[in-house]
Amino acid sequence: MSDQRDVLEVDVLFVGGGPAGLAGALHLTQLIEAHNRAAAAGGGAPLGDVAIAVLEKASEIGAHGISGCVMDPRGLKELLPDYREKGAPIEADVTSDDLFLFTKRGQIRFPFLPPPLQNHGNHVISLGALEKWLGGLVEATGAYVLPNMAAVDALFEGDQMVGVRTGDKGIDRQGNRKPNFEPGADVKAKVTVLAEGVRGSLAKKLSPKLRLEERSAPQIYATGVKEVWQLPAGRVPKGRVVHTMGFPLDTETFGGGFLYGMDGDKLTVGFVTGLDYRNPTTDPHGIFQEFKRHPYVAALLDGGTILSYGAKAIPEGGFYAMPRLSWAGGMMVGDSAAFLNGPRLKGVHLAIKSGMLAAETAFEALLAGKFDAVTLGAYDSKFRASWAWQELRGVRNFHSGFEHGLWAGMLNTGLQLVTGGRGLGERPTWEPGHARMRTLAAAGVVSILLEQTQRGYDNERTFTKVNDVFHSGTKHDEDQPSHLLVSDTSICATRCREEYGNPCQHFCPANVYEMVPDGDRGAIKLKLNPSNCVHCKTCDIADPYQIITWVPPEGGGGPNYVHL
């Protein structure tokens, strides 16, 4: 077993194989090819061979792709105007839209659709399939596409970022080297683009060091829980899009449901729950199961079969919560940088655009041979001059409007449409979501164990967290160090039990956190099940004490989202 690390040297590195990273890599190859053609025709100097790499922690490109489903094609059209001719995996064009307010036993259909939820011209997609297709296009250009490689540390020379280090493989749960031990590689680059997705682990590490968030509001998150079902033929037309508000949420909690008709009589059904909730027993997975029991949804699922399950955190803070996007040697794109339009429930087109803007900045840096903070700062300027900036600024006060509940949020959203995004007033900052969680006493609720909340699930339409983890295809080598780091487990057994009732067992949608007996005197302790983790990052976000840190497990582990 050698301690020698392999070193891969490239010019531009994209960390993350989602739509932002893949679009950035593909666009950079387009820019280089066009430049070299023009240089050959006009006698200028070509760039020559430029090495581009995409690192992805999943077992293959697309395996961790869950967010999206209804995509605005604007970004993809800019990247590939002939995307349909090139075989983009579009499930369906949107054919109809509806918005319902759910009560416990019925629903009220909105007589008109708010403009943000009008989806004419958009596509229903499987994001994993789109990523796999984009990955093939990137690989065909000669760029490196490297799955099974989880970036765990940033490499610096002085103040300049010069790449990343990938995680070691073959470490057992005690931290000892197994016979198959393999040290991680150092991937060095002139420009490194972080495209890790929401709550990226490298971005989280770098933000304090580089002061990326010192002028930003705290990011606010939600957790989306989703399943894909195979339905009887003709049950739901492909391209049918339904969004819901109300049940099973209380009026203090942000969120809503969605139903998307896909090709082949498949239905995406899901629910988004804001992680700035007040009740410490709030359970996004449990809320989703209740959503499926609503008569409208239950009728759609009757006779159907679940195909897949997944969960993912969503950056809802918007424009005011966006970090600084660039630094010496590096940039940040996609969900890592909060490129998401909350009222539209869309981020894929913005992720693609952000990747393209980063690629244009990297291209200009390669031409100039400069990779300092000033040169890469052009990315921030390009963003401010783009339609992505205009779109996000126009909804800058969306989420903060829901701080006082559903009805105030709806009023604020309506006013934003006629005030250029101002709504009821500018809210450039707020408290982080976890700080809004009330104690058991303040919320007027009692502590409850997770197993008690799941007793009524039939595992035909409603599923326990363990069964849904099975539907996600999640696999980890169980004999590896836990990638969920709890800095002080004594808090779990004492203060958190007394004050909040151990909310980790509720907010985790994968049964990773269990409170189990510790002796025979009523004491409890935390039991971790890291092999269940679906990489949603909810625990890193929602813990009221902020003592949980999610770090990447061994590369190749995690969910396998076949249909999401």
Side-chain angles (χ1 to χ4, degrees):
M1 292 183 293
S2 172
D3 289 328
Q4 186 68 36
R5 296 186 184 275
D6 290 335
V7 178
L8 173 63
E9 295 192 4
V10 299
D11 293 291
V12 182
L13 172 65
F14 293 87
V15 181
L22 293 169
L26 185 59
H27 190 47
L28 183 55
T29 67
Q30 295 170 334
L31 294 168
I32 293 168
E33 182 182 357
H35 172 81
N36 289 344
R37 280 200 311 266
L47 267 175
D49 292 331
V50 176
I52 302 167
V54 179
L55 299 187
E56 169 55 43
K57 63 183 173 66
S59 58
E60 62 177 318
I61 298 294
H64 290 178
I66 178 176
S67 69
C69 266
V70 175
M71 180 186 71
D72 180 338
R74 185 173 187 177
L76 190 58
K77 281 180 180 177
E78 284 194 11
L79 178 67
L80 295 165
D82 57 346
Y83 66 92
R84 283 188 182 272
E85 290 77 8
K86 281 184 160 51
I90 307 301
E91 291 279 334
D93 296 324
V94 174
T95 56
S96 65
D97 271 314
D98 264 316
L99 175 63
F100 290 102
L101 176 66
F102 273 11
T103 62
K104 188 170 184 177
R105 301 188 184 280
Q107 65 276 343
I108 302 169
R109 182 179 183 272
F110 278 63
F112 65 91
L113 276 175
L117 293 180
Q118 294 175 7
N119 285 293
H120 178 74
N122 295 332
H123 307 317
V124 178
I125 66 165
S126 161
L127 186 65
L130 183 75
E131 291 172 351
K132 189 171 184 178
W133 173 73
L134 283 172
L137 296 180
V138 172
E139 199 163 24
T141 68
Y144 300 103
V145 178
L146 306 172
N148 288 290
M149 297 185 73
V152 297
D153 280 308
L155 301 176
F156 277 81
E157 292 179 1
D159 294 331
Q160 185 91 10
M161 188 173 183
V162 294
V164 301
R165 175 166 292 172
T166 65
D168 296 341
K169 296 183 178 181
I171 303 288
D172 69 19
R173 67 180 64 189
Q174 283 78 38
N176 303 311
R177 296 180 179 183
K178 296 188 286 189
N180 64 337
F181 170 75
E182 179 184 333
D186 285 347
V187 186
K188 295 193 172 181
K190 297 169 183 173
V191 179
T192 302
V193 182
L194 298 185
E196 302 173 283
V198 66
R199 193 74 162 191
S201 53
L202 285 183
K204 183 182 175 182
K205 277 186 179 181
L206 289 180
S207 286
K209 172 185 175 72
L210 301 176
R211 299 181 178 178
L212 300 180
E213 299 176 346
E214 66 179 358
R215 297 184 179 179
S216 304
Q219 186 57 261
I220 300 290
Y221 299 89
T223 289
V225 183
K226 177 161 62 171
E227 293 170 354
V228 172
W229 283 63
Q230 183 68 56
L231 298 185
R235 176 71 57 79
V236 176
K238 68 179 184 178
R240 171 107 166 104
V241 171
V242 175
H243 291 103
T244 76
M245 304 166 62
F247 177 87
L249 292 179
D250 58 57
T251 57
E252 281 192 326
T253 305
F254 175 83
F258 56 88
L259 302 147
Y260 304 146
M262 303 172 76
D263 195 18
D265 295 297
K266 297 193 296 290
L267 177 72
T268 293
V269 53
F271 205 92
V272 172
T273 302
L275 295 180
D276 51 351
Y277 56 77
R278 304 298 184 96
N279 183 341
T281 66
T282 298
D283 182 337
H285 175 273
I287 289 169
F288 173 52
Q289 302 311 309
E290 288 304 307
F291 176 68
K292 290 187 293 177
R293 285 173 164 161
H294 187 275
Y296 182 90
V297 182
L300 291 176
L301 299 181
D302 187 38
T305 305
I306 186 174
L307 298 175
S308 193
Y309 165 82
K312 177 186 177 292
I314 303 166
E316 295 277 3
F319 183 81
Y320 286 128
M322 297 184 79
R324 180 161 53 86
L325 302 176
S326 64
W327 56 93
M331 294 176 277
M332 196 187 308
V333 296
D335 273 1
S336 289
F339 278 86
L340 180 119
N341 184 320
R344 296 188 68 201
L345 307 174
K346 289 176 180 56
V348 175
H349 67 300
L350 292 162
I352 290 172
K353 181 62 174 177
S354 69
M356 293 175 69
L357 293 172
E360 291 164 13
T361 305
F363 171 71
E364 292 169 0
L366 291 169
L367 288 177
K370 296 180 180 179
F371 310 99
D372 57 10
V374 173
T375 302
L376 297 191
Y379 172 45
D380 298 74
S381 300
K382 289 178 183 291
F383 168 54
R384 287 193 294 272
S386 72
W387 56 259
W389 185 89
Q390 293 178 331
E391 180 175 332
L392 290 170
R393 189 176 185 280
V395 294
R396 62 193 179 276
N397 292 304
F398 169 70
H399 192 87
S400 61
F402 286 86
E403 187 173 85
H404 300 292
L406 173 63
W407 307 117
M410 290 178 63
L411 173 62
N412 185 60
T413 301
L415 288 173
Q416 286 180 42
L417 298 175
V418 296
T419 59
R422 180 178 176 83
L424 293 171
E426 296 295 343
R427 286 290 309 280
T429 193
W430 45 77
E431 62 182 349
H434 69 268
R436 288 169 55 85
M437 188 185 295
R438 294 173 177 149
T439 62
L440 293 167
V445 296
V446 297
S447 179
I448 184 171
L449 291 176
L450 174 64
E451 62 183 44
Q452 295 173 290
T453 69
Q454 300 187 112
R455 286 177 183 166
Y457 297 165
D458 58 17
N459 288 317
E460 293 180 2
R461 181 182 301 138
T462 54
F463 303 95
T464 65
K465 293 183 180 183
V466 170
N467 277 311
D468 256 339
V469 169
F470 172 78
H471 297 138
S472 73
T474 295
K475 291 182 180 179
H476 295 91
D477 180 355
E478 296 203 20
D479 189 20
Q480 65 174 293
S482 174
H483 63 282
L484 301 154
L485 311 179
V486 184
S487 61
D488 186 352
T489 55
S490 68
I491 290 177
C492 310
T494 54
R495 285 183 59 197
C496 191
R497 180 188 186 185
E498 296 163 4
E499 295 176 355
Y500 294 99
N502 300 116
C504 60
Q505 62 182 326
H506 303 299
F507 60 58
C508 172
N511 203 55
V512 170
Y513 300 88
E514 281 189 276
M515 303 309 299
V516 298
D518 184 17
D520 57 0
R521 296 191 176 184
I524 60 172
K525 64 181 179 180
L526 174 65
K527 176 189 174 186
L528 284 174
N529 305 305
S531 61
N532 285 5
C533 179
V534 295
H535 297 203
C536 69
K537 314 289 184 70
T538 300
C539 57
D540 193 298
I541 296 162
D543 171 50
Y545 300 99
Q546 295 291 281
I547 60 173
I548 300 174
T549 300
W550 189 99
V551 298
E554 190 171 291
N560 183 21
Y561 293 141
V562 178
H563 298 287
L564 295 179

